[in-house]
Amino acid sequence: MSQAPKTLFEKIVAREIPAQILHETDEVAAFADINPQAPTHLLIVPKKPIPRVGEAEASDQALLGALLLAAGDIARKLGLDARDKGFRLVINHGRDGGETVPHLHVHLLAGRELSWPPG
Ligand code: 5GP
């Protein structure tokens, strides 16, 4: 049986492509974005290569929860949860959403005041 080629983020998790991995569990990993849009810019990914959020299935419910819990854990560890700091989580889906890597990921952005609405 042929296997799907690894996604970019699967290769990062497998240490085949270097990245600064800051957090890892059996289910998820978080690493620094190569092109940071804020002083802190991390990507939190499921190890399972779900292409994008709109393709997640009911059986992925716990995994989707694990992604957000990991984001909260990381933010607390970095001291970003204080009311006078803060952070933003972003998930891009598809062309209009700005998705460029077809492996579900949550952006964690922090370290500057982020404008709203986003561009
Ligand atoms: P998207 O545009 O799909 O929401 O986000 C993809 C993100 O992956 C972008 O912010 C981009 O900078 C980041 N990225 C693309 N290639 C690499 C890479 O090789 N290593 C790391 N660490 N991040 C990457």
Side-chain angles (χ1 to χ4, degrees):
M1 201 174 80
S2 69
Q3 272 205 315
K6 279 186 193 164
T7 68
L8 174 64
F9 292 163
E10 283 183 285
K11 290 180 185 167
I12 286 177
V13 168
R15 275 66 172 178
E16 291 168 13
I17 292 177
Q20 191 191 352
I21 298 180
L22 302 163
H23 177 93
E24 188 168 15
T25 69
D26 288 347
E27 292 181 307
V28 307
F31 49 87
D33 196 291
I34 203 168
N35 182 22
Q37 302 301 311
T40 299
H41 186 173
L42 306 179
L43 301 173
I44 305 157
V45 307
K47 290 187 175 178
K48 175 182 172 183
I50 299 167
R52 53 195 61 80
V53 70
E55 290 174 42
E57 298 175 354
S59 58
D60 296 317
Q61 183 169 341
L63 184 53
L64 296 182
L67 278 180
L68 291 186
L69 287 171
D73 269 1
I74 293 165
R76 272 192 303 281
K77 279 188 192 133
L78 297 178
L80 302 171
D81 57 321
R83 287 294 296 268
D84 63 344
K85 292 199 174 167
F87 59 94
R88 182 173 294 170
L89 303 179
V90 174
I91 298 176
N92 297 325
H93 177 120
R95 188 200 61 185
D96 286 357
E99 174 201 315
T100 58
V101 176
H103 180 138
L104 175 62
H105 48 284
V106 178
H107 295 259
L108 189 162
L109 296 146
R112 66 174 171 84
E113 201 167 322
L114 298 161
S115 59
W116 192 263

